[in-house]
Amino acid sequence: MELLPLSLLVVFALLLGSLIGSFLNVVIYRLPAGISVVWPRSRCPHCGHVLSPLELVPIVSWVVQGGRCKNCKRPIPLRYPAVEGLTAVLFGVAALLRPVFPELVFIWAFIALLIALAFIDIDTKTLPNSLNYGGIFLGLLGAGFLGFPQNFQAAVDGGLMGAGLVALFAGYGGWLYNRFKDGPREGPFGVHQVHLAAMVGALGGMLGTVGGTWLGGLGIVVGLLNASLNARTGKVFALHDSLTLGLGALAPIVAWLLGLSPLESLRGMLVSAGGMALAGMLYWWLRNPSDKVEPAPAEENLEGYVSVMGYGDVVLAGFLGVWLGFSSLMVAVFIAVFAGAIIGSILRRFGGDNQIPFGPYLAIGGLVAFFYGKAIVQWYLGYIGLA
Ligand SMILES: [Zn+2]
């Protein structure tokens, strides 16, 4: 750092982080409630007392007031200063690890988005599209103009394949868990179109590049045609999950038997499924741009079909893929599954049925992998003797 000493930068990062953390508390509470995050002024949730600037100093106000509202003396949850402290610490760590501008500003935005997503998921079991797609667009913007956090090609590949990985995890998980029952049909854009894209991508991918066109991406074209046919006719045309997911799983094996590329088949499957999943969620988001969480209507209980993972997690994986690239994204997912298993079993032992959704674990995995993903991949390749 030539411009200012590192210690000064870290102090600045801690202060900025606590202020952003204070704003994140507002976002976490208001976004799912459908209230503007900038207006009106913050109030005590118990008595409606409008908070003065002195009561809004991050962490300090809470400590000075003994964790209570100044007016009605009722308790303010410890989570408010905890989110401020967490944001401050992570901003400080980022400043220590990457004291470079403008990259550091992007990393701070990445951290802030993940904290908001994680806590909203804990509260409401949803991941707002505005934050997920905001992260995707910001990552692509940085990639396009700065070559940071990834070069543009790696960011696009990582986003598509990351979303594809979790979409297929959800697809195959649901298919097996529900014993090969067909999933719920949703028009014009549903999981069936994602599974169709996965199958076509897997079959096309094993043929590789023909006439200058990589056929692994063909699944997105076919999926979009299926969705527009549904939109045009008002019906839902969909192939049974057992056909699309079954053939999709067979394709890499067939590719290997025929002496074609099983890896290209897998890549085609991931890219096509991810592209279709991100396009589908974008479609639903544009149709209903509010992040307000509505109570789920009872009739949407989809005839006893249990979904193993929501599509919010799929888009979050796409967001992380854009920022991390695909190899580090796989590290993030691995950490998320591992942390989920450990923390989940501890919570079940001590906290009863207090279930944490997958989003917060993905956020933890994403943060660790952002800074250490490449090192972990190198270590692993060395460990299995590939590097
Ligand atoms: Zn009060």
Side-chain angles (χ1 to χ4, degrees), residues 44 46-47 69 72:
C44 166
H46 304 295
C47 66
C69 167
C72 68

Side-chain angles (χ1 to χ4, degrees), residues 37-362:
V37 295
V38 287
W39 195 259
R41 298 252 313 263
S42 292
R43 290 164 178 274
C44 166
H46 304 295
C47 66
H49 160 67
V50 175
L51 302 182
S52 71
L54 265 180
E55 291 164 85
L56 284 166
V57 183
I59 307 169
V60 178
S61 296
W62 190 87
V63 174
V64 169
Q65 292 165 216
R68 289 175 185 279
C69 167
K70 217 174 182 177
N71 188 47
C72 68
K73 307 290 179 205
R74 269 180 278 192
I76 304 164
L78 177 65
R79 198 172 95 174
Y80 287 87
V83 166
E84 290 160 357
L86 175 69
T87 313
V89 167
L90 290 176
F91 272 40
V93 170
L96 272 176
L97 292 173
R98 291 282 170 81
V100 186
F101 286 96
E103 284 83 346
L104 184 54
V105 179
F106 275 82
I107 302 174
W108 284 338
F110 180 63
I111 292 168
L113 283 167
L114 288 182
I115 290 174
L117 281 163
F119 281 96
I120 290 175
D121 202 14
I122 289 172
D123 287 351
T124 69
K125 306 271 194 291
T126 64
L127 294 159
N129 279 313
S130 61
L131 300 179
N132 265 341
Y133 279 100
I136 288 176
F137 295 137
L138 193 63
L140 290 177
L141 200 74
F145 287 99
L146 300 170
F148 178 86
Q150 301 292 321
N151 70 58
F152 195 72
Q153 187 63 48
V156 172
D157 282 356
L160 293 176
M161 290 168 73
L165 183 71
V166 175
L168 291 178
F169 192 71
Y172 282 103
W175 188 50
L176 296 174
Y177 190 88
N178 295 280
R179 309 212 171 175
F180 314 116
K181 202 172 132 184
D182 199 30
R185 296 184 165 223
E186 197 175 9
F189 240 123
V191 287
H192 283 91
Q193 284 68 51
V194 176
H195 298 163
L196 172 69
M199 176 188 79
V200 174
L203 293 172
M206 71 169 141
L207 301 174
T209 304
V210 176
T213 307
W214 180 60
L215 297 181
L218 206 59
I220 300 177
V221 179
V222 175
L224 287 174
L225 283 173
N226 185 181
S228 47
L229 177 71
N230 291 347
R232 189 62 68 85
T233 59
K235 297 179 180 139
V236 184
F237 294 96
L239 295 179
H240 197 287
D241 281 337
S242 293
L243 179 68
T244 51
L245 293 175
L247 265 182
L250 281 178
I253 302 166
V254 171
W256 176 68
L257 289 173
L258 295 177
L260 301 165
S261 173
L263 277 181
E264 283 297 285
S265 175
L266 275 176
R267 188 159 80 95
M269 196 176 186
L270 289 172
V271 166
S272 287
M276 201 57 199
L278 291 176
M281 286 295 277
L282 189 62
Y283 168 85
W284 289 112
W285 180 40
L286 295 176
R287 283 220 13 200
N288 178 22
S290 166
D291 288 308
K292 187 170 180 187
V293 178
E294 311 282 358
E299 65 266 26
E300 267 192 15
N301 268 336
L302 309 166
E303 302 123 38
Y305 187 91
V306 179
S307 69
V308 297
M309 189 168 287
Y311 261 58
D313 293 312
V314 171
V315 185
L316 175 55
F319 161 24
L320 291 176
V322 166
W323 284 74
L324 303 172
F326 186 62
S327 59
S328 290
L329 172 99
M330 286 198 292
V331 174
V333 171
F334 184 79
I335 294 172
V337 171
F338 199 65
I342 292 176
I343 300 175
S345 71
I346 293 173
L347 286 180
R348 264 193 302 283
R349 185 155 301 177
F350 293 103
D353 54 8
N354 188 10
Q355 281 200 346
I356 295 186
F358 194 52
Y361 297 119
L362 265 181

